Amino acid sequence: MLRPKLPTMPQPTGTVTPPAVVEPTTITPGSPTTRQAPTTPAPVSARPTVQLTPGTALALVGGGTAVVLVVGAVLVSMLLAVAITAGSVAVCAVVLRSLLASDAKRR
């Protein structure tokens, strides 16, 4: 009733050409040429250089500190959630064990 329907592979149509045979060619070594270094100086970039002023350095330090504090708070909260979950599972296990032990004593 619930059988999976497997697709059939399509058959090739027309004539199939055999793969082309690649014949190796001989390599003739060329004469080595010496390259001379360019004499023109490299062009100067049109982009302005980034200057780190005391204000921007303070902003970078403050931003980095904020990122570290936020990531730390998230990790600590995740650890606390895992610890609370483990504690509640342990309490449930103790209660279940107690209920099963008292049930066995009654019989």
Side-chain angles (χ1 to χ4, degrees):
M1 180 177 158
L2 298 175
R3 289 187 183 174
K5 192 171 190 179
L6 299 175
T8 58
M9 293 296 292
Q11 298 296 324
T13 58
T15 59
V16 179
T17 59
V21 178
V22 178
E23 295 180 10
T25 59
T26 59
I27 299 174
T28 57
S31 61
T33 59
T34 58
R35 299 191 66 145
Q36 295 183 0
T39 57
T40 59
V44 178
S45 175
R47 297 187 327 187
T49 58
V50 177
Q51 294 180 356
L52 201 60
T53 62
T56 56
L58 187 63
L60 286 175
V61 169
T65 303
V67 167
V68 167
L69 289 176
V70 167
V71 169
V74 167
L75 290 177
V76 167
S77 65
M78 289 172 61
L79 180 65
L80 184 62
V82 168
I84 290 172
T85 304
S88 66
V89 167
V91 168
C92 289
V94 168
V95 168
L96 282 174
R97 191 173 89 180
S98 172
L99 287 174
L100 291 175
S102 66
D103 188 40
K105 287 181 183 178
R106 287 185 191 163
R107 291 183 181 189

